[in-house]
Amino acid sequence: MPTALPRAAILFWGLCLACFSTFAQENSLIMGRIDHLGLVKEVEINLNERYLNNKNVVHTAAVSEEGYFVFPLTLHDPQLQTLTYTRYHTLLFLEPRDTLEIITDAYSFPHAIQFEHRSGANNTHLKQYLQQNPTELNALRLKQYRSRGPYWYINAPDMDRLMLASTPKQFRHHMALRKAEALANLDSYVRSHPDALTPSYREFIRTEIIYNWAYHLLLFGDVFRNRYAIDDSFFDFLTEVPLQNGYIGNYWYRHFVQAYLVFQQARQQETPPTEVEQYQLAGTLFTDKARAFLQSEILVRGFRAKQVEALRREYWDFSDHNAYPQFDEKVARVYYQIMKYAAGELAPDFVLTDPNDRPVSLHQYQGQVVYLNFWASWCRPCMAKLEQLRAIQGRLEEAGV
């Protein structure tokens, strides 16, 4: 079992904190010790920042021979991160300007784990919550259901089996009990440990509980409406759900607002909504950071679907009125990436080698028509296409291609 850090470790952490203070960008710190260290001497932290910049940021830290590791991190919002050692994962909570110390054992990770420092109590409670409300960390195991618009619901296997085995009344009752129990356990923990949980974490975990409940009810009612002949009264629970929430770093809140937007649009019109209509409805239903997040998602999705011209006015509107620079950067990056390869733009130069290992650059063919065919040796249709191209290669050359 993990034990408390020895006094000799104080110097190590002192050095870590001193190094941490020299980083201008990093605003949070995770540090820890793994007892009985095996052959694997690396740990990873996965920061899901897709909602900000369409990236999963993975940080890797070396573990010293004594078992110590440290992660200086840059966080924009309070959120959950995934800590990975060997092939096992656990979720951690951290907020900007936070510190967390982890003590665990290589043989019993992630079950035997202790938390200290400012966010220690937060993660102790989180561990208890996740034991009662498990989260599926393997994305490949998630079930997907298409909504009535451009959104895919995701569902963990256990929850999916529960939905398929429950009537609407049974499922609604199960989710109500689950939410009530989680909130009661949180209140009990707060009473037993006054001032242990930070205000930010208490709001975050309440957000987690409420929107986990709301999202899965919305999924059930929308996806299984025909199977169970669900009428509109099932969705009365939506009047209890606050749409505006500052904790955009929360996974379930982000999924709920996306699903809710598409659900409301499907209620208002029979035809599939355009990106412009989605953008406008997001501006009507939501405010502040939730609106910025949703509109940035709609713009990114539209740009990738080659709807740049249709969304140009919305893009300028977003640039003029969005108060959250991180979402500006997210949208702008995709916009300029798409425009870089748009029809009529100058093709980016590159250098490759021909079959005789001689360098060939696109610049050599400036002013000419160039035909590029991308293929792979394992792709049978690609290889068949190569044979067809050989038959017309002479004609292309004669035409100056």
Side-chain angles (χ1 to χ4, degrees), residues 335-342 345-348:
Y335 175 80
Y336 288 111
Q337 184 180 29
I338 295 297
M339 293 306 297
K340 183 178 179 180
Y341 301 106
E345 295 298 316
L346 188 66

Side-chain angles (χ1 to χ4, degrees), residues 183-312:
L183 289 172
N185 288 340
L186 173 61
D187 292 340
S188 175
Y189 192 96
V190 171
R191 286 194 300 270
S192 302
H193 305 81
D195 303 321
L197 303 181
T198 64
S200 182
Y201 173 76
R202 276 183 285 177
E203 285 303 310
F204 183 91
I205 200 66
R206 287 187 185 277
T207 297
E208 176 81 11
I209 295 166
I210 291 170
Y211 292 97
N212 184 308
W213 163 77
Y215 173 80
H216 286 101
L217 280 181
L218 183 55
L219 186 163
F220 184 93
D222 199 17
V223 171
F224 299 109
R225 64 190 182 282
N226 294 328
R227 177 185 179 123
Y228 296 110
I230 294 174
D231 60 31
D232 284 349
S233 64
F234 179 89
F235 300 99
D236 289 347
F237 74 91
L238 290 173
T239 61
E240 305 173 39
V241 185
L243 292 184
Q244 318 307 330
N245 186 295
Y247 285 81
I248 200 68
N250 184 274
Y251 177 85
W252 290 118
Y253 177 65
R254 293 197 303 273
H255 274 283
F256 173 78
V257 293
Q258 291 178 86
Y260 180 84
L261 177 66
V262 172
F263 174 76
Q264 291 296 352
Q265 198 123 36
R267 274 182 156 182
Q268 295 178 16
Q269 61 187 74
E270 293 292 331
T271 58
T274 65
E275 278 81 5
V276 171
E277 290 170 333
Q278 294 170 56
Y279 181 93
Q280 292 171 346
L281 185 60
T284 301
L285 295 177
F286 294 89
T287 61
D288 301 325
K289 207 167 188 178
R291 178 175 61 191
F293 162 69
L294 284 167
Q295 291 184 331
S296 71
E297 289 287 302
I298 293 164
L299 290 172
V300 166
R301 185 172 62 241
F303 291 162
R304 287 178 171 166
K306 306 295 189 291
Q307 299 295 320
V308 175
E309 288 302 321
L311 285 166
R312 198 178 295 276

